[in-house]
Coordinates of all heavy atoms in Angstrom, one line a residue:
M1 N 20.2 16.7 38.8 CA 21.2 17.8 38.6 C 21.7 17.7 37.2 O 21.8 16.7 36.6 CB 22.3 17.7 39.6 CG 23.4 18.7 39.3 SD 24.9 18.5 40.3 CE 24.3 18.4 41.9
R2 N 21.9 18.9 36.6 CA 22.4 18.9 35.3 C 23.6 19.9 35.3 O 23.6 21.0 35.8 CB 21.3 19.5 34.3 CG 21.7 19.4 32.9 CD 20.5 19.6 32.0 NE 20.5 20.9 31.4 CZ 20.1 21.0 30.1 NH1 19.5 20.0 29.5 NH2 20.1 22.2 29.6
I3 N 24.7 19.4 34.6 CA 25.9 20.2 34.5 C 26.1 20.5 33.0 O 26.2 19.5 32.2 CB 27.1 19.5 35.1 CG1 26.9 19.2 36.5 CG2 28.4 20.4 34.8 CD1 28.0 18.4 37.2
R4 N 26.1 21.8 32.6 CA 26.2 22.1 31.2 C 27.6 22.7 31.0 O 28.1 23.5 31.7 CB 25.2 23.2 30.9 CG 25.3 23.6 29.4 CD 24.6 24.9 29.2 NE 23.2 24.8 29.5 CZ 22.2 24.7 28.6 NH1 22.4 24.7 27.3 NH2 20.9 24.5 29.0
L5 N 28.3 22.2 29.9 CA 29.5 22.7 29.5 C 29.2 23.9 28.6 O 28.6 23.7 27.5 CB 30.4 21.7 28.7 CG 31.2 20.8 29.5 CD1 30.4 19.8 30.3 CD2 32.2 20.1 28.6
R6 N 29.7 25.1 29.0 CA 29.5 26.2 28.1 C 30.6 26.2 27.0 O 31.8 26.0 27.4 CB 29.5 27.5 28.8 CG 28.3 27.5 29.8 CD 27.8 28.8 30.2 NE 27.6 29.7 29.1 CZ 27.4 31.0 29.2 NH1 27.5 31.5 30.4 NH2 27.2 31.8 28.2
K7 N 30.2 26.4 25.8 CA 31.2 26.4 24.7 C 32.3 27.4 25.0 O 32.1 28.6 25.2 CB 30.6 26.7 23.4 CG 31.5 26.5 22.2 CD 30.8 26.7 20.9 CE 31.7 26.5 19.7 NZ 31.0 26.8 18.5
N8 N 33.6 26.9 25.1 CA 34.7 27.8 25.4 C 34.6 28.5 26.8 O 35.1 29.6 26.9 CB 35.0 28.8 24.3 CG 35.2 28.1 23.0 OD1 35.8 27.1 22.9 ND2 34.7 28.8 21.9
G9 N 33.9 27.8 27.7 CA 33.6 28.5 29.0 C 33.5 27.5 30.1 O 34.0 26.3 30.0
P10 N 32.9 27.9 31.2 CA 32.9 27.0 32.4 C 31.9 25.9 32.4 O 31.1 25.7 31.5 CB 32.5 28.1 33.5 CG 31.5 29.0 32.7 CD 32.2 29.1 31.4
Y11 N 32.0 25.1 33.4 CA 30.9 24.1 33.7 C 29.9 24.9 34.5 O 30.2 25.5 35.5 CB 31.5 23.0 34.7 CG 32.6 22.1 34.1 CD1 33.9 22.3 34.6 CD2 32.3 21.2 33.1 CE1 34.9 21.5 34.1 CE2 33.3 20.4 32.6 CZ 34.6 20.5 33.1 OH 35.6 19.8 32.6
V12 N 28.7 24.8 34.1 CA 27.6 25.5 34.8 C 26.7 24.4 35.4 O 26.1 23.6 34.7 CB 26.8 26.4 33.9 CG1 25.6 27.1 34.6 CG2 27.7 27.5 33.3
I13 N 26.5 24.5 36.8 CA 25.7 23.6 37.5 C 24.3 24.2 37.6 O 24.1 25.2 38.2 CB 26.3 23.2 38.9 CG1 27.7 22.7 38.7 CG2 25.4 22.2 39.6 CD1 28.4 22.6 40.0
E14 N 23.4 23.5 36.9 CA 22.1 24.1 36.7 C 21.1 23.5 37.8 O 20.2 22.8 37.5 CB 21.5 23.9 35.3 CG 22.3 24.5 34.3 CD 21.8 24.2 32.9 OE1 21.2 23.2 32.7 OE2 22.1 25.1 32.0
S15 N 21.5 23.8 39.0 CA 20.6 23.4 40.2 C 20.8 24.3 41.3 O 21.9 24.9 41.5 CB 21.1 22.0 40.6 OG 20.4 21.6 41.8
E16 N 19.8 24.6 42.0 CA 19.9 25.5 43.2 C 20.4 24.7 44.4 O 21.0 25.3 45.3 CB 18.5 26.1 43.5 CG 18.0 27.1 42.5 CD 18.9 28.3 42.4 OE1 19.3 28.8 43.4 OE2 19.3 28.6 41.2
D17 N 20.3 23.4 44.3 CA 20.7 22.5 45.5 C 22.1 22.0 45.3 O 22.3 20.9 45.0 CB 19.7 21.4 45.6 CG 20.0 20.6 46.9 OD1 20.6 21.1 47.8 OD2 19.6 19.4 46.9
V18 N 23.1 22.9 45.4 CA 24.4 22.6 45.2 C 25.3 23.0 46.3 O 25.1 24.1 46.8 CB 25.0 23.3 43.9 CG1 26.5 23.0 43.8 CG2 24.3 22.8 42.7
A19 N 26.1 22.1 46.8 CA 27.1 22.5 47.9 C 28.4 22.1 47.3 O 28.6 21.0 46.7 CB 26.8 21.7 49.1
L20 N 29.4 23.0 47.4 CA 30.7 22.8 46.8 C 31.7 22.8 48.0 O 31.7 23.8 48.7 CB 31.0 23.9 45.8 CG 32.4 23.8 45.1 CD1 32.4 22.5 44.2 CD2 32.6 25.0 44.2
V21 N 32.4 21.7 48.2 CA 33.3 21.6 49.3 C 34.7 21.4 48.9 O 34.9 20.8 47.8 CB 32.8 20.5 50.3 CG1 31.4 20.8 50.8 CG2 32.9 19.1 49.6
D22 N 35.6 21.8 49.7 CA 37.1 21.6 49.4 C 37.5 20.1 49.8 O 36.6 19.4 50.3 CB 38.0 22.6 50.0 CG 38.1 22.6 51.5 OD1 37.6 21.6 52.1 OD2 38.6 23.5 52.1
W23 N 38.7 19.8 49.7 CA 39.2 18.5 50.0 C 39.1 18.1 51.5 O 39.1 16.9 51.8 CB 40.7 18.3 49.5 CG 41.6 19.3 50.2 CD1 42.3 19.2 51.3 CD2 41.8 20.7 49.7 NE1 43.0 20.3 51.6 CE2 42.7 21.3 50.6 CE3 41.4 21.4 48.6 CZ2 43.2 22.6 50.5 CZ3 41.8 22.7 48.5 CH2 42.7 23.3 49.4
N24 N 38.8 19.1 52.3 CA 38.6 18.8 53.7 C 37.1 18.8 54.1 O 36.7 18.6 55.2 CB 39.2 19.9 54.6 CG 40.7 19.9 54.5 OD1 41.3 18.8 54.7 ND2 41.4 21.0 54.3
G25 N 36.3 19.0 53.1 CA 34.8 19.0 53.3 C 34.3 20.3 53.7 O 33.1 20.4 54.1
V26 N 35.1 21.3 53.7 CA 34.7 22.7 54.1 C 34.0 23.3 52.9 O 34.5 23.4 51.8 CB 35.9 23.5 54.5 CG1 35.4 24.9 54.9 CG2 36.6 22.8 55.7
P27 N 32.7 23.8 53.1 CA 32.0 24.4 52.0 C 32.5 25.8 51.5 O 32.9 26.6 52.4 CB 30.6 24.5 52.5 CG 30.7 24.6 54.0 CD 32.0 23.8 54.3
Y28 N 32.5 26.0 50.2 CA 32.8 27.3 49.7 C 31.5 28.1 49.8 O 30.4 27.6 49.8 CB 33.2 27.2 48.2 CG 34.5 26.6 47.9 CD1 34.6 25.2 47.7 CD2 35.6 27.4 47.8 CE1 35.9 24.7 47.4 CE2 36.9 26.8 47.5 CZ 37.0 25.5 47.3 OH 38.2 24.9 47.1
T29 N 31.7 29.4 50.0 CA 30.6 30.4 49.9 C 30.2 30.6 48.4 O 31.1 30.9 47.6 CB 31.0 31.7 50.5 OG1 31.3 31.5 51.9 CG2 29.8 32.7 50.5
I30 N 29.0 30.3 48.1 CA 28.5 30.4 46.7 C 27.8 31.7 46.7 O 26.7 31.9 47.3 CB 27.7 29.2 46.3 CG1 28.5 28.0 46.4 CG2 27.1 29.5 44.9 CD1 27.7 26.7 46.1
E31 N 28.4 32.7 45.9 CA 27.8 34.0 45.9 C 26.9 34.2 44.7 O 26.1 35.2 44.7 CB 28.9 35.1 45.9 CG 29.7 35.0 47.2 CD 30.9 36.0 47.2 OE1 31.1 36.7 46.2 OE2 31.5 36.1 48.3
R32 N 27.1 33.4 43.7 CA 26.2 33.5 42.4 C 25.7 32.2 42.0 O 26.4 31.2 42.1 CB 27.1 34.1 41.3 CG 27.5 35.5 41.6 CD 28.4 36.1 40.5 NE 27.7 36.0 39.2 CZ 28.3 36.3 38.0 NH1 29.5 36.6 38.0 NH2 27.6 36.3 36.9
R33 N 24.5 32.2 41.5 CA 23.9 31.0 41.0 C 23.3 31.3 39.6 O 22.8 32.4 39.4 CB 22.8 30.4 41.9 CG 23.5 29.9 43.2 CD 22.4 29.2 44.1 NE 23.0 28.9 45.4 CZ 23.6 27.7 45.7 NH1 23.6 26.8 44.8 NH2 24.1 27.5 46.9
P34 N 23.4 30.4 38.7 CA 23.9 29.1 38.8 C 25.4 29.1 39.0 O 26.1 30.1 38.7 CB 23.6 28.4 37.5 CG 23.5 29.5 36.5 CD 22.9 30.7 37.3
V35 N 25.9 28.1 39.6 CA 27.4 28.0 39.9 C 28.1 27.7 38.6 O 27.8 26.8 37.9 CB 27.6 26.8 40.9 CG1 29.1 26.7 41.2 CG2 26.9 27.1 42.2
A36 N 29.2 28.5 38.4 CA 30.0 28.3 37.2 C 31.4 27.9 37.7 O 32.0 28.7 38.4 CB 30.0 29.5 36.3
L37 N 31.9 26.7 37.3 CA 33.2 26.3 37.7 C 34.2 26.4 36.6 O 33.9 26.1 35.4 CB 33.1 24.8 38.2 CG 32.2 24.5 39.3 CD1 32.2 23.0 39.6 CD2 32.7 25.3 40.6
C38 N 35.4 26.9 36.9 CA 36.4 27.1 35.9 C 36.8 25.8 35.2 O 37.0 24.8 35.8 CB 37.6 27.8 36.5 SG 38.9 28.1 35.3
R39 N 36.8 25.9 33.9 CA 37.2 24.8 33.1 C 38.5 25.1 32.3 O 39.2 24.2 31.8 CB 36.1 24.4 32.1 CG 36.3 23.1 31.3 CD 35.0 22.6 30.8 NE 34.4 23.5 29.7 CZ 34.5 23.2 28.4 NH1 35.0 22.1 28.0 NH2 33.9 24.0 27.6
C40 N 38.9 26.3 32.3 CA 40.1 26.7 31.5 C 41.4 26.7 32.4 O 42.5 26.7 31.8 CB 39.9 28.1 30.9 SG 40.0 29.5 32.1
G41 N 41.2 26.8 33.7 CA 42.4 26.8 34.6 C 43.0 28.2 34.8 O 44.0 28.3 35.5
K42 N 42.4 29.2 34.3 CA 43.0 30.5 34.4 C 42.3 31.5 35.4 O 42.7 32.6 35.6 CB 43.0 31.2 33.0 CG 43.7 30.5 31.9 CD 45.2 30.4 32.2 CE 45.9 29.8 31.1 NZ 47.3 29.6 31.4
S43 N 41.2 31.0 36.0 CA 40.4 31.9 36.9 C 41.3 32.2 38.1 O 42.0 31.4 38.6 CB 39.2 31.2 37.3 OG 38.5 31.9 38.3
A44 N 41.2 33.5 38.5 CA 41.8 33.9 39.8 C 40.9 33.6 41.0 O 41.3 33.8 42.1 CB 42.1 35.4 39.7
A45 N 39.7 33.1 40.7 CA 38.8 32.8 41.8 C 38.4 31.3 41.8 O 37.3 30.9 42.2 CB 37.5 33.6 41.6
K46 N 39.4 30.4 41.4 CA 39.1 29.0 41.4 C 38.6 28.5 42.8 O 39.0 29.0 43.8 CB 40.4 28.2 41.1 CG 40.9 28.4 39.7 CD 42.1 27.5 39.5 CE 42.9 27.9 38.3 NZ 43.9 28.9 38.6
P47 N 37.6 27.6 42.7 CA 37.2 26.8 41.6 C 36.2 27.5 40.7 O 35.7 26.9 39.8 CB 36.6 25.6 42.3 CG 36.0 26.1 43.5 CD 37.0 27.2 44.0
F48 N 35.8 28.8 41.0 CA 34.8 29.4 40.3 C 35.3 30.1 39.0 O 36.5 30.5 39.0 CB 34.1 30.5 41.1 CG 33.5 29.9 42.4 CD1 34.1 30.0 43.6 CD2 32.3 29.2 42.3 CE1 33.6 29.5 44.8 CE2 31.7 28.6 43.5 CZ 32.4 28.8 44.7
C49 N 34.5 30.2 38.0 CA 34.8 30.9 36.8 C 34.7 32.4 37.1 O 33.8 32.9 37.7 CB 33.9 30.6 35.7 SG 34.0 31.6 34.2
D50 N 35.7 33.2 36.7 CA 35.7 34.7 36.8 C 35.6 35.4 35.5 O 35.8 36.6 35.4 CB 36.8 35.2 37.7 CG 38.2 35.0 37.0 OD1 38.2 34.5 35.9 OD2 39.2 35.5 37.6
G51 N 35.4 34.6 34.4 CA 35.3 35.2 33.1 C 36.6 35.3 32.4 O 36.6 35.8 31.2
T52 N 37.7 35.0 33.0 CA 39.0 35.1 32.3 C 39.1 34.3 31.1 O 39.8 34.7 30.1 CB 40.1 34.7 33.3 OG1 40.1 35.5 34.5 CG2 41.5 34.8 32.7
H53 N 38.3 33.2 31.0 CA 38.4 32.4 29.8 C 38.1 33.2 28.5 O 38.6 32.8 27.4 CB 37.4 31.2 29.9 CG 36.0 31.6 30.0 ND1 35.4 31.9 31.2 CD2 35.1 31.9 29.0 CE1 34.1 32.3 31.0 NE2 33.9 32.3 29.7
R54 N 37.4 34.3 28.6 CA 37.0 35.1 27.5 C 38.2 35.8 26.9 O 38.2 36.1 25.7 CB 35.9 36.1 27.8 CG 34.6 35.5 28.2 CD 33.6 36.6 28.4 NE 32.5 36.1 29.2 CZ 32.3 36.5 30.5 NH1 33.0 37.4 31.0 NH2 31.3 36.0 31.2
T55 N 39.2 36.0 27.7 CA 40.4 36.8 27.2 C 41.6 35.9 26.9 O 42.6 36.5 26.5 CB 40.8 37.9 28.3 OG1 41.2 37.2 29.5 CG2 39.6 38.8 28.6
T56 N 41.5 34.6 27.2 CA 42.7 33.8 27.0 C 42.6 32.9 25.8 O 43.5 32.1 25.5 CB 42.8 32.9 28.2 OG1 41.7 32.1 28.4 CG2 43.1 33.7 29.5
G57 N 41.5 33.0 25.0 CA 41.4 32.1 23.9 C 41.1 30.7 24.2 O 41.5 29.8 23.4
F58 N 40.5 30.4 25.4 CA 40.3 29.1 25.8 C 39.4 28.3 24.7 O 38.4 28.8 24.3 CB 39.6 29.0 27.1 CG 39.1 27.7 27.6 CD1 40.0 26.6 27.7 CD2 37.8 27.4 27.8 CE1 39.6 25.4 28.1 CE2 37.4 26.2 28.2 CZ 38.3 25.1 28.4
D59 N 39.9 27.2 24.3 CA 39.2 26.4 23.3 C 38.6 25.2 24.0 O 39.3 24.2 24.3 CB 40.2 25.9 22.2 CG 39.5 25.1 21.1 OD1 38.3 24.9 21.2 OD2 40.2 24.6 20.3
G60 N 37.3 25.2 24.3 CA 36.7 24.1 25.0 C 35.3 23.9 24.3 O 34.3 24.1 24.9
A61 N 35.4 23.4 23.1 CA 34.2 23.2 22.3 C 33.9 21.8 22.1 O 33.3 21.4 21.1 CB 34.3 24.0 21.0
E62 N 34.3 20.9 23.0 CA 34.0 19.5 22.8 C 32.5 19.2 22.9 O 31.9 19.7 23.9 CB 34.8 18.7 23.9 CG 36.2 18.9 24.0 CD 36.6 20.1 24.9 OE1 35.6 20.8 25.4 OE2 37.7 20.2 25.2
A63 N 32.0 18.5 22.0 CA 30.6 18.2 22.0 C 30.5 16.7 22.5 O 31.4 15.9 22.4 CB 30.0 18.3 20.6
A64 N 29.3 16.4 23.1 CA 29.1 15.1 23.6 C 29.1 14.1 22.4 O 29.5 12.9 22.6 CB 27.7 15.0 24.3
V65 N 28.5 14.5 21.3 CA 28.5 13.7 20.1 C 29.3 14.4 19.0 O 29.0 15.4 18.5 CB 27.1 13.5 19.6 CG1 27.1 12.6 18.3 CG2 26.2 12.8 20.7
P66 N 30.5 13.8 18.7 CA 31.3 14.5 17.7 C 30.7 14.5 16.3 O 29.9 13.6 16.0 CB 32.6 13.6 17.6 CG 32.6 12.8 18.9 CD 31.1 12.6 19.3
G67 N 31.0 15.6 15.6 CA 30.4 15.7 14.3 C 31.3 15.0 13.3 O 32.2 14.2 13.6
P68 N 31.0 15.2 12.0 CA 31.8 14.5 10.9 C 33.3 14.8 11.0 O 33.7 15.9 11.4 CB 31.2 15.1 9.7 CG 29.9 15.6 10.0 CD 30.0 16.0 11.5
G69 N 34.1 13.8 10.8 CA 35.5 13.9 10.8 C 36.1 14.2 12.2 O 37.2 14.6 12.4
G70 N 35.3 13.9 13.3 CA 35.8 14.0 14.6 C 35.7 15.5 15.1 O 36.1 15.7 16.2
K71 N 35.2 16.4 14.3 CA 35.1 17.8 14.7 C 33.9 17.9 15.7 O 32.9 17.1 15.6 CB 34.8 18.7 13.5 CG 35.9 18.6 12.5 CD 37.1 19.4 12.9 CE 38.1 19.4 11.7 NZ 39.4 19.9 12.1
P72 N 33.9 18.8 16.6 CA 32.8 19.0 17.5 C 31.5 19.3 16.7 O 31.5 20.1 15.7 CB 33.2 20.2 18.3 CG 34.7 20.3 18.2 CD 35.0 19.8 16.8
A73 N 30.4 18.7 17.1 CA 29.1 18.9 16.5 C 28.6 20.2 17.0 O 29.0 20.7 18.1 CB 28.2 17.8 16.7
G74 N 27.6 20.7 16.4 CA 26.9 21.9 16.9 C 26.0 21.6 18.0 O 25.8 20.4 18.4
P75 N 25.3 22.6 18.5 CA 24.3 22.3 19.6 C 23.2 21.4 19.1 O 22.9 21.4 18.0 CB 23.8 23.7 20.0 CG 24.2 24.6 18.8 CD 25.3 24.0 18.1
T76 N 22.7 20.7 20.1 CA 21.6 19.7 19.7 C 20.2 20.2 20.1 O 19.4 19.4 20.3 CB 21.9 18.3 20.4 OG1 22.0 18.5 21.8 CG2 23.2 17.7 19.9
G77 N 20.1 21.4 20.3 CA 18.8 22.0 20.6 C 18.7 22.5 22.0 O 17.8 23.3 22.3
A78 N 19.6 22.2 22.9 CA 19.5 22.7 24.3 C 20.0 24.2 24.2 O 20.9 24.5 23.5 CB 20.4 21.9 25.2
A79 N 19.2 25.0 24.9 CA 19.6 26.4 24.9 C 20.7 26.7 25.9 O 20.9 26.1 26.8 CB 18.4 27.3 25.2
Ligands
LIG1 S1 36.3 28.8 32.6 FE1 35.9 30.9 33.1 S2 37.7 31.5 33.9 FE2 38.1 29.5 33.5

């Protein structure tokens, strides 16, 4: 399984074999794939991303490997 952080956006789970359950173990209905989970905290459809991050100025550009001066590095080739 691979989870991709979209720059200034959600966590995207890049696998078809995903089950998302709540704290009681009850599964959420997954209507769209790949599954995008809200990372900004503003979605009205939590835990799913509903695109609200685009209008709130969410800054989520942390890279796995920081660039010079601690700034986020650019993409490393993954599309
Ligand atoms: S990351 Fe998309 S609405 Fe929060």
Side-chain angles (χ1 to χ4, degrees):
M1 175 186 308
R2 187 165 111 145
I3 302 173
R4 179 192 303 252
L5 276 69
R6 297 207 49 197
K7 187 176 182 181
N8 302 325
Y11 298 106
V12 177
I13 304 172
E14 297 178 332
S15 171
E16 292 297 313
D17 186 25
V18 173
L20 184 64
V21 299
D22 70 11
W23 57 94
N24 292 312
V26 179
Y28 288 92
T29 300
I30 298 176
E31 298 178 353
R32 295 177 56 187
R33 293 185 187 266
V35 175
L37 299 177
C38 179
R39 189 160 68 103
C40 74
K42 301 294 185 186
S43 174
K46 291 185 198 85
F48 302 102
C49 169
D50 68 357
T52 301
H53 62 269
R54 293 187 202 109
T55 63
T56 60
F58 174 59
D59 180 6
E62 308 87 349
V65 178
K71 302 282 186 195
T76 57

